[in-house]
Amino acid sequence: MTCKSIVMPYKQNCKVEGEVITRLKIARHYFADHIPQKDIAQDIGCHKNTVNEIIKLCKQQSDSKVLWLLSGSEKIETSDLKLFEFLKFGSRAPKTNKRMADENTEKTIAEKHLKLNYGFKRLYKHFKIAGMNIETFSFSKIKGVYKRLKLKGKRIRTVNGERRALYNYAEIGAFEQLQYDTKEIPDQHALPKEIYRKFKSHRLNLPKYQWTIVDAKTKTRFLAWSYTLTSFYGLKFLQTVILWLRAHNIQNTINTRMDGGAEFFSASERKLADWNLELSGLGASAEWTGGAKWKNNLVERTHRIDDEEFYCPRGEHINSNSDFLIEGQYWNFYYNRRASDGIGMDGMSPKEKLDSLGIYNADQICRFPMLILDNIFIPLMEAFPQAQSQNVLTPYQADLIFGLF
């Protein structure tokens, strides 16, 4: 054996004496004892490239004392061992990886996370909808950045960390439980200044309010818009959605939850009873949240999606009433085919969820038509004289055209 200072195989010696001492002994056998690299590798049971790397590192050192100590036979003092820290094993991580985000991409992802507090799945969807280059901002690259920088999406939890579902999603069926709410489109807290002014302007004659009904089980949404908020529209839109479902062979009882806004029944038990009387003929009922917003959180959450994925990115393309009709219709079609991370959805879209439940006409149900309520009901109210009533929910002749609803 030529390498007398190393009596164990290379890997074992590194574990016993340490990597720096082992590699230092190899270097001294080469520089001081003039043993060829191939013989050293064969003697201590390692690959010749390992010895070659050690010799190469030593030759790259500019400190003359390092080479002097390596070429001599004198004992190296403990205080001088710090000169040989360069012999420590380097990271084996690849220097480059085409699937890893570059520095600029990583910076953009980190800045977006700081601003939006999204998880990596949602941030990927955000970039995709915004039209960003999917190869640059791929799912794997975004996930890798989150892992390296230890980023996490912001979540609101209860005091003890529980996640409590509103419904037993395994038990309820499709369209058994609906949630209903309205949204004012020109929202200063959600829209950029230019888009806010556009929807606020009377010159373009764009709708000011959005009416949203969402199914708890499948997250299928039905949308309508209007220029004004009235309880008349509130009831008629709900009846329209229920009739749409009945026309597509949805036979189960339908219950709809909503807040006590003036566009519904103003938190009045008497008016709620009137609504339920109207809905009973359709096999449906209504209930209100009692002022607890969290009881309507599914539909409330969709408002943010509307702002971020529809009004903000598409608002600049809406410059007329006809533009709004086209964009709104495409948006509703898209949403019902958009992947959802909701409870029980397993990443499926509302249409895919309906398909999985065996609803054969899921595509037709998801193609709910674009409605601007004023354009439908105002001409009818002008054509048929309204009967005056103490009930503000029914300022119409129920035995005429609206009785069909």
Side-chain angles (χ1 to χ4, degrees):
M1 184 172 183
T2 56
C3 300
K4 297 181 180 180
S5 64
I6 303 176
V7 296
M8 292 179 285
Y10 173 70
K11 289 184 178 180
Q12 187 177 351
N13 204 84
C14 285
K15 291 179 180 179
V16 175
E17 292 192 298
E19 58 195 62
V20 174
I21 298 296
T22 302
R23 290 159 77 92
L24 175 57
K25 287 182 177 180
I26 292 172
R28 293 197 81 175
H29 281 306
Y30 176 80
F31 288 102
D33 301 332
H34 306 292
I35 302 174
Q37 297 179 32
K38 183 178 180 181
D39 293 343
I40 297 174
Q42 186 177 3
D43 212 16
I44 64 175
C46 71
H47 197 278
K48 62 180 181 180
N49 288 349
T50 302
V51 179
N52 181 59
E53 179 192 5
I54 296 170
I55 305 307
K56 185 177 179 181
L57 287 172
C58 293
K59 288 181 177 180
Q60 290 175 349
Q61 300 305 306
S62 57
D63 192 338
S64 58
K65 187 175 182 180
V66 170
L67 295 176
W68 178 76
L69 290 172
L70 289 173
S71 301
S73 58
E74 297 82 4
K75 181 180 178 181
I76 299 176
E77 300 294 334
T78 305
S79 59
D80 289 330
L81 288 177
K82 62 182 180 180
L83 296 173
F84 298 94
E85 290 292 318
F86 64 88
L87 291 174
K88 276 188 175 181
F89 292 132
S91 172
R92 296 187 179 183
K95 301 295 186 295
T96 59
N97 184 349
K98 64 180 181 180
R99 293 183 295 177
M100 188 174 75
D102 58 34
E103 186 176 348
N104 291 332
T105 302
E106 184 170 305
K107 182 179 179 182
T108 301
I109 293 171
E111 288 175 350
K112 281 292 184 181
H113 170 266
L114 182 63
K115 181 179 179 181
L116 301 174
N117 286 311
Y118 287 173
F120 59 86
K121 290 182 181 179
R122 191 168 173 214
L123 188 64
Y124 169 70
K125 293 178 185 177
H126 174 81
F127 282 134
K128 186 176 180 181
I129 292 167
M132 306 290 276
N133 188 326
I134 297 305
E135 291 185 3
T136 303
F137 296 96
S138 67
F139 182 81
S140 60
K141 288 181 180 179
I142 294 173
K143 185 177 180 181
V145 172
Y146 270 62
K147 185 176 181 180
R148 287 193 299 277
L149 301 183
K150 298 182 179 179
L151 305 178
K152 291 184 178 180
K154 183 179 179 181
R155 294 184 178 182
I156 299 174
R157 296 293 192 194
T158 57
V159 174
N160 60 3
E162 290 182 348
R163 185 183 186 185
R164 302 180 65 182
L166 281 175
Y167 306 97
N168 185 341
Y169 291 95
E171 296 293 332
I172 64 173
F175 306 112
E176 284 186 9
Q177 296 290 338
L178 306 180
Q179 291 189 8
Y180 189 10
D181 197 21
T182 59
K183 164 186 170 55
E184 185 175 2
I185 299 173
D187 185 352
Q188 296 184 47
H189 301 287
L191 302 181
K193 181 169 62 176
E194 298 77 14
I195 298 176
Y196 169 79
R197 288 177 177 174
K198 179 182 289 188
F199 280 97
K200 199 71 174 175
S201 170
H202 295 287
R203 181 177 59 85
L204 295 177
N205 194 33
L206 299 176
K208 300 296 186 294
Y209 302 97
Q210 176 181 304
W211 303 73
T212 307
I213 295 177
V214 61
D215 173 40
K217 176 74 171 183
T218 67
K219 309 304 183 287
T220 307
R221 280 209 316 176
F222 307 93
L223 299 182
W225 289 267
S226 69
Y227 298 95
T228 57
L229 283 181
T230 70
S231 59
F232 174 74
Y233 288 168
L235 178 59
K236 291 306 160 190
F237 177 52
L238 177 56
Q239 289 175 319
T240 302
V241 170
I242 294 171
L243 284 170
W244 177 265
L245 294 174
R246 296 302 186 218
H248 289 84
N249 204 33
I250 301 300
Q251 302 297 327
N252 53 262
T253 301
I254 299 172
N255 182 68
T256 305
R257 180 183 293 175
M258 63 203 77
D259 61 32
E263 69 273 27
F264 301 128
F265 41 82
S266 303
S268 166
E269 294 293 340
R270 178 180 61 82
K271 294 176 183 177
L272 176 59
D274 290 342
W275 273 52
N276 280 319
L277 182 62
E278 295 274 354
L279 296 171
S280 60
L282 297 174
S285 62
E287 65 173 288
W288 77 296
T289 60
K293 293 190 71 173
W294 60 269
K295 290 185 178 180
N296 229 24
N297 66 355
L298 297 179
V299 68
E300 292 280 358
R301 179 64 185 82
T302 66
H303 297 332
R304 182 173 173 181
I305 297 174
D306 289 320
D307 288 328
E308 294 174 351
E309 301 185 21
F310 175 47
Y311 294 113
C312 287
R314 301 303 302 175
E316 62 179 301
H317 303 286
I318 299 175
N319 297 304
S320 67
N321 196 270
S322 58
D323 289 341
F324 185 88
L325 288 168
I326 294 170
E327 292 287 347
Q329 189 71 79
Y330 277 120
W331 167 238
N332 202 26
F333 287 171
Y334 167 77
Y335 184 93
N336 285 330
R337 288 157 181 78
R338 171 188 181 275
S340 173
D341 296 321
I343 299 175
M345 293 296 289
D346 299 320
M348 291 185 286
S349 68
K351 178 188 175 300
E352 291 170 337
K353 184 66 176 180
L354 288 169
D355 287 333
S356 72
L357 295 174
I359 297 178
Y360 68 92
N361 55 350
D363 184 64
Q364 288 83 359
I365 292 174
C366 290
R367 290 181 175 273
F368 186 75
M370 168 76 177
L371 298 176
I372 295 183
L373 301 177
D374 309 70
N375 295 349
I376 297 173
F377 292 111
I378 288 180
L380 290 175
M381 287 189 289
E382 291 175 348
F384 295 90
Q386 298 179 28
Q388 297 298 319
S389 170
Q390 295 297 318
N391 185 348
V392 297
L393 295 174
T394 56
Y396 54 86
Q397 293 181 328
D399 56 337
L400 293 178
I401 186 68
F402 300 116
L404 296 175
F405 288 89

